[in-house]
Amino acid sequence: MHSLVLQSDFGLDDGAVAAMYGVAIDTKPDLRIFDLTHNIPPYDIWEGSYRLAQAIDYWPEGSVFVSVVDPGVGSDRLSVVARTKTGHYVVTPDNGTLTHVDAIFGVEQLREIDEHSNRRKGSEASYTFHGRDIYAYTGARLAAGIINYEQVGRELNVADMVRLPWDKPYRDGDTVYGNIDALDVRYGSLWTSIPRTLFNEINPEFGERFQLRVMHQGRVVHSNQMIYAPSFAAVEVGESLIYVNSLDRMAAAINRGSYARAFNIDTGSAWHVSLTHVK
């Protein structure tokens, strides 16, 4: 038996998350269930995609994730279970939620959920809560070993999986480029898609200065020079810095301040960033 990890944009103000727990526990009373987050902004598939990638690799192989950010519920979008190259499973609508997991870790197989055999009994007339009736139910059965992966449903071509626009980070001379993937929510740091390994190709040293440029829809909306530091404590309160975040990617922050709020910066496929070594 493996762990079941739930993520959604439902919040905790009503009984939606508890209903998902109930379906899972009814499937297997001793199933171990955990929450990734239920505070994804409503309908924000990009944020849901990133938060999966933020957490998934720290869980044991075989763990099953259920991610429900599903503005297209009841439409013709597919319900799927992905198996990642790291040996994890993600139960989710095929609406772009798998974008970051695929880009960072890789999806090696994709199966469509057979909604005739993998659906909570008595829910056939319900079209608006697939998170409870299909995803929590299927995820729990998969985590508990009641079904195996092949019993989820027919195999799909991974190449046909829905992906959100996501630009692979790259280097050009003394500059590295990437997306602003997410914010460190409580603190407002900018978390980019630029891996530390790519940043290291421009030979950075702590204490050196870098030019940060933020582009939105192809237009530069912010530019700032700041030092590369190992941690927030290396700079004065209120000073900006470039650092390596907890996902081994480059980030920008203000010590004890919110970079995103200070400069009105957001995240997503339309937000790009570059870091240039100032020599």
Side-chain angles (χ1 to χ4, degrees), residues 112-138:
E112 181 181 3
I113 298 175
D114 182 338
E115 296 183 10
H116 297 288
S117 58
N118 291 309
R119 184 179 186 123
R120 184 178 65 88
K121 186 177 179 180
S123 70
E124 294 80 10
S126 175
Y127 298 98
T128 60
F129 200 173
H130 289 178
R132 176 195 63 197
D133 300 331
I134 298 172
Y135 301 147
Y137 181 74
T138 301

Side-chain angles (χ1 to χ4, degrees), residues 3-5 7 36 48-49 52-53 56-57 62-68 79-102 105-107 109-113 135 138-139 142 149 152 161:
S3 296
L4 181 68
V5 185
Q7 170 178 275
L36 194 160
S49 170
L52 272 176
I56 196 168
D57 197 37
S63 298
V64 178
F65 290 77
V66 170
S67 181
V68 191
S79 298
V80 299
V81 181
R83 184 169 66 195
T84 72
K85 292 181 180 179
T86 56
H88 300 89
Y89 298 91
V90 183
V91 185
T92 187
D94 183 27
N95 61 3
T97 296
L98 294 164
T99 298
H100 286 90
V101 167
D102 184 46
F105 303 110
V107 170
Q109 194 173 8
L110 190 70
R111 289 184 176 273
E112 181 181 3
I113 298 175
Y135 301 147
T138 301
L142 185 60
Y149 185 51
V152 165
M161 186 175 72

Side-chain angles (χ1 to χ4, degrees), residues 7-69:
Q7 170 178 275
S8 76
D9 61 350
F10 297 158
L12 297 173
D13 294 328
D14 65 11
V17 173
M20 292 173 67
Y21 264 78
V23 167
I25 291 171
D26 188 51
T27 299
K28 182 72 171 175
D30 58 345
L31 185 65
R32 296 174 300 176
I33 309 173
F34 304 89
D35 297 309
L36 194 160
T37 179
H38 296 289
N39 288 326
I40 301 296
Y43 320 120
D44 194 338
I45 298 169
W46 177 278
E47 183 80 6
S49 170
Y50 185 82
R51 297 305 170 192
L52 272 176
Q54 180 182 358
I56 196 168
D57 197 37
Y58 297 99
W59 286 79
E61 184 176 346
S63 298
V64 178
F65 290 77
V66 170
S67 181
V68 191
V69 183

